Amino acid sequence: MAAITGEEYKRRINALHTDIWVSGEKVDGRISEHPAFKGVMNSQAELYDLQHSNDFMTFECELTKTKIGTSFLIPKCKEELILRRKMIQSWARHTGGLMGRSPDYMNTVLAAFAASTEILKGKPNCFPDRLEKFYYDAREKDLSFTHTFVNPQNNRAKYSFFKEDVTNARIVKRIEEGIVIKGAKLLATQGGITDEIIVFSAPGVTDNEFAYAFSIPSDTPGLKFICREPFSKESSHYNAPLSSRFEELDAVVVFNDVLVPWERVFFYDNIRVANEFYAKSKFIPFTLHQIVSRQVVKAELVLGIAQLIVDTINIGEYQHVQGKVTEIIKGLESLKALLIISEQEAVIDDKGICIPSRAPLYIAVHTFQEIYPRFMEILQLLGASGIVTIPTEKDFNSSIKEDLNHYLQAGDKKGEEKVRLFRLAWDLCLSSFGGRQTLYERFFFGDPIRVSQSIYNAYDKSTSIQQAEQFIKAES
Ligand SMILES: Cc1cc2nc3c(=O)[nH]c(=O)nc-3n(C[C@H](O)[C@H](O)[C@H](O)COP(=O)(O)OP(=O)(O)OC[C@H]3O[C@@H](n4cnc5c(N)ncnc54)[C@H](O)[C@@H]3O)c2cc1C
């Protein structure tokens, strides 16, 4: 079957009987019609449709000859890596980069895992063949995924393992049919609106019961998604141009004696593999390449909104305004440069897989963790009160419409048009949806403090040290 359409995506998710909760109520009926999910599921469906719009969105499977989504591609050369970027950015342009979990994110993660099965080969309780088979099945069916890796936030002390854990999802039984999981995971964005959930233990595993990796259908018995309240209650694109379309709910994931069949277990009871898999696999370079490709598009959107504000209220002559927009340009151009360097410095490994250079991508994602909140601050500083003087569509359709059009005009824009722009800025930098976007960019790939630590630890400093050492060598 391969690359699906939006209709197929919705049909499949609606046909599942996923246990998913929103605001104290279990979701009943067609999930794609539920107000909390309708907007984002429509946007996701549009992405699937876009797969059929251009040749580079898919590639031909060497075995089945079917068309597979390019985000599943394991690149063998730089051209294929660049093809992946093109596809990822094409989807990102459709969402302004605001859907962190557009399907290419997890498709990339799964492809990276499947490209790293050598780490599992010959190790106790590890099943590289199952992971590879699962990857090929998933791309053939164009399955959608959410994931959950991190443990609940109940105790983050350094020596928390001295205290008995009472929340983290753990293996409670190993039986003939598979492993049984009980407990919870921190969260899964888009939890409940994908075909499957991929579950990996978080790094820092000290006990066999927390060392596992598997994927199961979202409607597996005993699996529950408990969503946060939706931040957008608006379906009007005028009122909430971004949140009405791209609000991805975050869900706590609860496992109530969930049976994971053996064919879906990629490893278990192997502490070493559980701790090494992220760092040693191709997860980081490939996932970061997808992330930074999306973030470039998001930075472009922020720049566009900032410049439209500047032009609309005519503030471009002020030096500090120019300086603030230039900050966004600097961020955008730095991300683009780092992304391209990562592709130029890509290497082909002994399996013939083309791996983007990790360091520039790590720097890019860490930079974005820092500059994105500043970008949002800049939008607030430029838009000022315009970001709160934003009457709704209903106001513009009422008898006060003429007043609004007149008194809220700016430049050549009538009030209704000016407010349309400022509602866009509001939805990105001030609404609760916008606040969650900022939190997302800060944290979704890990706490910025520890990302910085990882960069410090992994960065090859030898050439720099040699350079410095030549000036402290004893004179001969
Ligand atoms: C919007 C959003 C969506 C997300 N979506 C997903 C998802 O779909 N799937 C998924 O698996 N995860 C997801 N995450 C989780 C994300 O990976 C974590 O937020 C991130 O790894 C940080 O972990 P934490 O939130 O538990 O913060 P914590 O680790 O609890 O950190 C809280 C604070 O304590 C400090 N701290 C804690 N431990 C240490 C330490 N050892 N050293 C120094 N400082 C420390 C941190 O610096 C921070 O200031 C999402 C997060 C967000 C915010």
Side-chain angles (χ1 to χ4, degrees):
M1 178 171 54
I4 56 168
T5 61
E7 265 318 295
E8 178 60 10
Y9 158 69
K10 283 196 205 166
R11 190 197 61 71
R12 266 199 329 223
I13 304 304
N14 284 332
L16 293 174
H17 300 287
T18 303
D19 192 358
I20 171 164
W21 290 73
V22 184
S23 304
E25 282 176 16
K26 188 175 153 115
V27 174
D28 221 8
R30 294 162 68 82
I31 298 183
S32 66
E33 301 296 322
H34 190 284
F37 303 105
K38 195 173 172 175
V40 71
M41 284 190 71
N42 277 337
S43 298
Q44 190 118 299
E46 286 164 13
L47 296 182
Y48 281 115
D49 284 340
L50 273 179
Q51 291 197 112
H52 305 277
S53 67
N54 244 315
D55 277 356
F56 65 83
M57 301 299 283
T58 53
F59 67 98
E60 190 180 86
C61 172
E62 57 280 18
L63 304 171
T64 60
K65 304 293 174 208
T66 48
K67 295 270 178 215
I68 308 286
T70 303
S71 53
F72 281 111
L73 179 68
I74 299 176
K76 299 282 166 33
C77 57
K78 287 186 187 179
E79 288 70 29
E80 288 185 354
L81 194 59
I82 292 166
L83 197 73
R84 282 185 51 85
R85 188 222 312 151
K86 216 170 144 189
M87 184 269 167
I88 289 160
Q89 293 194 323
S90 169
W91 266 2
R93 289 216 161 79
H94 194 70
T95 65
L98 291 164
M99 276 177 65
R101 296 301 148 83
S102 51
D104 47 323
Y105 181 79
M106 284 310 294
N107 295 354
T108 300
V109 170
L110 182 58
F113 286 166
S116 311
T117 48
E118 72 278 1
I119 299 171
L120 305 182
K121 282 200 175 119
K123 308 265 169 67
N125 303 321
C126 293
F127 310 101
D129 296 348
R130 291 180 194 161
L131 178 52
E132 248 167 47
K133 180 182 178 313
F134 182 68
Y135 159 72
Y136 280 105
D137 284 353
R139 69 181 219 177
E140 194 61 37
K141 293 181 186 144
D142 207 358
L143 292 180
S144 55
F145 294 95
T146 182
H147 75 291
T148 188
F149 294 169
V150 182
N151 290 322
Q153 207 181 25
N154 79 355
N155 186 355
R156 291 287 192 253
K158 220 176 227 173
Y159 301 107
S160 58
F161 54 85
F162 281 141
K163 216 172 155 201
E164 197 202 344
D165 169 76
V166 288
T167 57
N168 300 354
R170 72 190 65 210
I171 305 172
V172 287
K173 277 186 223 159
R174 293 121 181 113
I175 57 178
E176 209 185 326
E177 296 84 2
I179 56 175
V180 177
I181 306 286
K182 193 170 179 59
K185 281 281 192 187
L186 181 75
L187 72 100
T189 300
Q190 281 210 13
I193 61 163
T194 59
D195 295 290
E196 293 259 337
I197 178 166
I198 294 183
V199 187
F200 268 63
S201 40
V205 176
T206 52
D207 207 313
N208 265 342
E209 60 187 343
F210 299 115
Y212 48 71
F214 57 85
S215 182
I216 45 174
S218 292
D219 66 346
T220 302
L223 181 63
K224 198 193 299 289
F225 297 93
I226 306 172
C227 297
R228 63 166 166 77
E229 63 172 310
F231 290 152
S232 173
K233 300 190 170 63
E234 281 283 357
S235 58
S236 155
H237 290 348
Y238 182 89
N239 290 349
L242 301 175
S243 48
S244 62
R245 294 175 166 106
F246 307 126
E247 158 74 322
E248 298 172 292
L249 261 65
D250 308 292
V252 173
V253 188
V254 176
F255 299 80
N256 203 355
D257 289 323
V258 171
L259 171 66
V260 182
W262 284 120
E263 70 268 19
R264 291 307 199 85
V265 178
F266 308 135
F267 63 78
Y268 77 107
D269 286 357
N270 192 323
I271 297 172
R272 195 168 176 170
V273 166
N275 284 320
E276 285 180 355
F277 199 76
Y278 294 101
K280 287 199 170 167
S281 76
K282 297 173 184 78
F283 167 71
I284 289 175
F286 278 123
T287 310
L288 286 178
H289 184 256
Q290 185 279 340
I291 291 168
V292 179
S293 300
R294 175 187 63 77
Q295 289 175 335
V296 164
V297 174
K298 194 166 184 175
E300 283 170 355
L301 171 72
V302 176
L303 174 60
I305 296 175
Q307 189 59 45
L308 283 172
I309 291 175
V310 170
D311 293 341
T312 301
I313 58 171
N314 208 5
I315 51 174
E317 69 194 277
Y318 303 116
Q319 277 182 356
H320 77 94
V321 168
Q322 294 169 6
K324 285 179 175 106
V325 177
T326 304
E327 268 190 66
I328 305 175
I329 296 170
K330 265 166 39 187
L332 168 61
E333 287 299 315
S334 305
L335 289 183
K336 276 161 69 177
L338 288 163
L339 183 58
I340 289 167
I341 291 171
S342 82
E343 290 166 356
Q344 277 177 4
E345 293 182 350
V347 291
I348 314 258
D349 76 353
D350 51 4
K351 282 175 77 185
I353 297 171
C354 180
I355 309 167
S357 175
R358 181 185 294 232
L361 294 170
Y362 240 146
I363 302 297
V365 85
H366 188 46
T367 301
F368 206 64
Q369 289 178 321
E370 290 170 348
I371 62 174
Y372 187 77
R374 172 66 182 157
F375 283 2
M376 294 305 103
E377 185 182 36
I378 290 173
L379 289 185
Q380 290 186 12
L381 292 170
L382 297 178
S385 61
I387 294 176
V388 288
T389 41
I390 46 172
T392 62
E393 193 170 28
K394 225 172 168 178
D395 294 306
F396 281 104
N397 286 329
S398 74
S399 58
I400 54 171
K401 165 176 156 176
E402 291 310 321
D403 275 351
L404 294 177
N405 272 327
H406 182 69
Y407 293 117
L408 295 179
Q409 67 178 293
D412 59 355
K413 288 187 169 68
K414 283 195 306 181
E416 189 175 355
E417 276 174 79
K418 184 217 170 197
V419 169
R420 193 185 285 279
L421 166 65
F422 277 78
R423 288 202 79 90
L424 177 65
W426 159 80
D427 216 5
L428 193 59
C429 73
L430 201 66
S431 70
S432 43
F433 167 84
R436 185 262 177 204
Q437 286 279 324
T438 302
L439 192 76
Y440 181 82
E441 297 299 355
R442 275 189 156 133
F443 278 105
F444 80 94
F445 201 70
D447 160 33
I449 302 289
R450 280 167 280 169
V451 170
S452 147
Q453 234 176 343
S454 303
I455 293 171
Y456 173 80
N457 288 328
Y459 194 77
D460 180 3
K461 309 169 196 76
S462 54
T463 315
S464 299
I465 292 170
Q466 275 167 20
Q467 280 241 40
E469 277 177 345
Q470 68 177 319
F471 299 111
I472 52 171
K473 274 193 188 133
E475 303 282 339
S476 56

